[in-house]
Amino acid sequence: MGVSHMHSCSARRTARLRQIVVIAVICLTIYCLLLVPEDSLDSSRSANPEAYQSQTRQQQQREEERRHTLPLELLNNRFLNEDQCRASFPGLLEQVDNEVAKGPFKLQRPANDLGPLIARIRDGQLSILSAARKSDLSRDMLAHRSATLHQIANALLTWPRPASATSGSSPFSHIPDTIFAFTHHDDPQEGTFSYSRPVDPALQYTASGEAKRFFPIPHFSFYSWPLPFIGSLPQAARAISAVESSLSFSSKIPRAVWRGTTWFNNPRAGRLRQNLVRAFGPAAPKPQPWADIEALDWTKPLTTGPGAGDRNATNALRIEDFCRYKYIVHTEGVTYSGRFQFHNLCASVVLTPPIAWMQHLTHLLRPVFSYTLDPSSPDSFHSSSSPLSSPRSIFSLFFSPSVNTQQQQQQQQLKQQQSGLPRHPIDLGASDNPPPLLPYPAPWVRSAWPTEHDPSEANIVFVAPDWSDLEAAVAWLEAHPRIAEGIARRQRALFEDGGYFSPAAEMCYWRGLIRGWSEVVRVDEGAFDGLEGVTWEEFSLKEIHK
């Protein structure tokens, strides 16, 4: 009887202990869900300024640790082999690889010399087979064409010979023989080396559904851009580094800057540049203290003296002086804009409508769309509220009915409509009605830029193409200075510190492009037999002498 009583007491104590443990676990769960700050449950988000600032400081420290990881000796080494290139500059040849993956295509001979330039590489030597006459090109076109051909010649001269090459083999056997076409106009032409390519899927296929072939090349400014306030990219990079080393982000001018010519617009973009100047420039209907936006006031070219023929603009900014501003407004031109890579070197936030023309490194951008920014939550990266912000949402984690994919898509679309920066038609003055709001994002934007990056990882800001939220975007960034600085720093850390605009990366890209092109191009040698080649050395001298 005594033993039975002892077993009964022990069982009651065990049951009571089990109840206490269960109650404690329930209380702990409720405490974690209701009282623990959200940022401790989700490290990618923060619900209070202190937590957010701590996250931002840690992120900046990690970025600083990654900076300057590539030594200057490597960045200036024009003789890297392809393995070294790909290891040093991840993603550099992504667009080349994508074109190669599409398989072979046939090179067409132009109907006349006004078409793309045709050149041959044979035994490591560059020769010109067909090119427009100097009299048919403007001074600027001649400069652009010559600068790009100089880049190609430099890539051939610095092409490293593999260590495995035998002493008896040709000294140029490692350089592929090929014939290529090069378009020096702003409009890219399929099946040629061009300065950009369209990102809209509708422009990437023929009427029969066949994929067009575009091979983006480095901008001619990598060699030289003979404008008095720009110059070459390497020269500008040094000047920009001097500016950036003397300024913190917080000490930069808190305005959005733009300079440009208003008549360069793509037909699909409408009056993008004109409307920017009319709505926010010096003659805007109302003061815009946050903006420093002006159309360039071009002077007539000098007719005599050392600078004869050069153009200048009285209100131009030197390209490095754009980096003195916190915010830079970017506009594409007829297609791409040659200033883009210069702005990418700044530790400033670039604001632009979604990019429609991809240059050779544009795919490295990580945009945050303005419609994802939450105007009412200054301490959160995200526009959506916390999923654990109320007891109802806690219970919904366990008892909510299943939601199908269509319902989720509808909820996502509704969320996007309810969030984002406010959009207002821009004011063009009493003489014109405000233009209607354009769809944003347009269907082609969703296809071309499918990833919506968080502000904590973005390196550029995409705004509405009608400028209806440009002022709101600047105001949002001013209210979020740490986020703004992070976007600016990530841009410069990628393109400058990452070395993607360095001489080494430039030569790496050209050689990767030439090799990739040679693998997929199919040339009917008979179609080019009648063309008598001129060596690059002879051609280049004729380019600069009448």
Side-chain angles (χ1 to χ4, degrees):
M1 189 71 177
V3 173
S4 174
H5 176 72
M6 290 176 62
H7 279 299
S8 175
C9 291
S10 176
R12 285 196 299 270
R13 285 196 297 270
T14 301
R16 189 177 301 111
L17 181 60
R18 186 182 297 112
Q19 291 174 350
I20 294 173
V21 170
V22 170
I23 293 172
V25 169
I26 293 174
C27 292
L28 180 61
T29 301
I30 295 174
Y31 169 79
C32 290
L33 293 176
L34 288 176
L35 301 179
V36 173
E38 179 186 352
D39 60 292
S40 66
L41 297 173
D42 184 351
S43 60
S44 67
R45 306 167 64 173
S46 62
N48 61 79
E50 292 77 17
Y52 157 67
Q53 292 172 5
S54 176
Q55 289 179 357
T56 304
R57 283 193 297 269
Q58 293 173 5
Q59 182 177 350
Q60 289 175 345
Q61 290 172 0
R62 288 194 297 269
E63 290 177 357
E64 290 294 327
E65 291 172 358
R66 288 196 298 266
R67 295 179 65 184
H68 306 295
T69 55
L70 297 180
L72 288 177
E73 182 180 0
L74 184 148
L75 297 180
N76 290 318
N77 186 348
R78 294 169 171 83
F79 299 88
L80 300 178
N81 61 41
E82 185 164 345
D83 289 340
Q84 292 171 320
C85 289
R86 290 183 180 272
S88 300
F89 310 108
L92 175 71
L93 295 172
E94 179 177 314
Q95 297 198 62
V96 176
D97 294 339
N98 290 342
E99 288 301 320
V100 171
K102 295 176 183 177
F105 73 98
K106 186 175 181 180
L107 177 63
Q108 303 292 338
R109 176 175 173 175
N112 53 59
D113 287 345
L114 294 177
L117 178 144
I118 303 296
R120 180 194 300 275
I121 298 173
R122 178 181 286 169
D123 293 331
Q125 305 299 307
L126 175 66
S127 59
I128 311 304
L129 302 182
S130 172
R133 298 174 302 177
K134 290 177 62 175
S135 58
D136 293 328
L137 301 178
S138 68
R139 188 171 183 265
D140 286 343
M141 290 178 182
L142 283 171
H144 303 168
R145 182 174 78 176
S146 181
T148 296
L149 291 173
H150 272 288
Q151 289 175 272
I152 297 173
N154 287 343
L156 297 178
L157 288 172
T158 57
W159 202 309
R161 193 176 187 210
S164 59
T166 61
S167 57
S169 63
S170 166
F172 306 108
S173 60
H174 59 290
I175 302 178
D177 291 345
T178 190
I179 295 177
F180 66 86
F182 156 50
T183 300
H184 56 81
H185 296 289
D186 285 350
D187 265 321
Q189 185 171 338
E190 63 170 313
T192 72
F193 292 176
S194 301
Y195 293 122
S196 67
R197 67 171 179 84
V199 302
D200 186 348
L203 301 179
Q204 297 178 19
Y205 295 89
T206 64
S208 60
E210 184 179 356
K212 298 179 181 180
R213 312 304 294 273
F214 294 100
F215 294 82
I217 59 177
H219 193 253
F220 54 81
S221 61
F222 277 78
Y223 188 81
S224 180
W225 193 351
L227 287 177
F229 46 85
I230 297 182
S232 69
L233 188 66
Q235 172 189 345
R238 291 190 294 270
I240 289 172
S241 292
V243 170
E244 291 294 347
S245 64
S246 67
L247 286 175
S248 64
F249 183 79
S250 60
S251 64
K252 291 190 174 188
I253 302 169
R255 303 175 73 187
V257 63
W258 183 85
R259 294 290 188 276
T261 48
T262 56
W263 59 83
F264 283 127
N265 283 308
N266 184 276
R268 299 179 64 187
R271 299 175 61 84
L272 178 78
R273 294 187 174 202
Q274 290 95 329
N275 287 349
L276 175 67
V277 173
R278 290 183 63 186
F280 307 118
K286 61 180 181 179
Q288 306 289 346
W290 57 272
D292 184 359
I293 292 172
E294 298 181 20
L296 288 175
D297 183 12
W298 289 100
T299 60
K300 293 182 178 180
L302 299 175
T303 56
T304 60
D310 289 344
R311 296 183 303 152
N312 204 345
T314 56
N315 61 338
L317 294 175
R318 293 198 62 81
I319 198 68
E320 65 269 20
D321 288 335
F322 283 86
C323 304
R324 299 184 184 277
Y325 290 75
K326 285 185 176 180
Y327 314 109
I328 301 174
V329 178
H330 172 69
T331 54
E332 293 182 296
V334 175
T335 53
Y336 75 100
S337 172
R339 295 181 181 224
F340 196 30
Q341 59 265 16
F342 294 90
H343 295 333
N344 290 148
L345 290 171
C346 297
S348 303
V349 179
V350 173
L351 300 107
T352 177
I355 297 296
W357 300 92
M358 188 83 70
Q359 293 176 262
H360 79 293
L361 291 177
T362 311
H363 62 277
L364 297 176
L365 297 179
R366 298 192 300 272
V368 57
F369 287 84
S370 55
Y371 64 78
T372 66
L373 302 177
D374 184 357
S376 62
S377 181
D379 297 320
S380 173
F381 283 133
H382 300 263
S383 59
S384 59
S385 59
S386 167
L388 302 177
S389 57
S390 67
R392 178 181 296 274
S393 60
I394 294 173
F395 287 106
S396 69
L397 294 176
F398 301 97
F399 302 110
S400 60
S402 60
V403 180
N404 60 38
T405 303
Q406 183 177 1
Q407 289 175 325
Q408 290 177 343
Q409 292 176 347
Q410 292 174 348
Q411 292 174 1
Q412 181 68 19
Q413 292 174 357
L414 179 61
K415 184 184 298 183
Q416 288 185 356
Q417 294 172 1
Q418 295 174 343
S419 64
L421 299 178
R423 296 180 62 194
H424 303 287
I426 56 176
D427 186 358
L428 300 179
S431 60
D432 280 320
N433 293 324
L437 296 180
L438 297 176
Y440 174 59
W444 72 263
V445 175
R446 293 189 180 278
S447 298
W449 300 98
T451 303
E452 296 179 354
H453 292 277
D454 190 89
S456 64
E457 61 181 7
N459 54 24
I460 193 169
V461 177
F462 282 179
V463 298
D466 51 17
W467 307 120
S468 56
D469 62 0
L470 177 61
E471 183 176 1
V474 174
W476 191 93
L477 292 165
E478 279 290 278
H480 299 73
R482 294 182 180 275
I483 299 178
E485 182 173 0
I487 295 172
R489 293 297 176 193
R490 279 186 290 277
Q491 173 177 252
R492 180 164 170 80
L494 174 66
F495 291 106
E496 169 62 15
D497 301 332
Y500 283 89
F501 289 157
S502 66
E506 179 199 354
M507 292 296 99
C508 282
Y509 187 89
W510 273 113
R511 290 194 287 267
L513 173 65
I514 293 169
R515 184 176 297 283
W517 168 280
S518 69
E519 291 175 2
V520 294
V521 70
R522 298 295 180 263
V523 178
D524 181 0
E525 290 287 347
F528 298 91
D529 280 346
L531 299 177
E532 183 179 352
V534 178
T535 65
W536 159 241
E537 291 77 10
E538 180 181 345
F539 185 86
S540 64
L541 289 178
K542 291 180 177 179
E543 286 280 87
I544 62 175
H545 295 293
K546 294 183 179 179

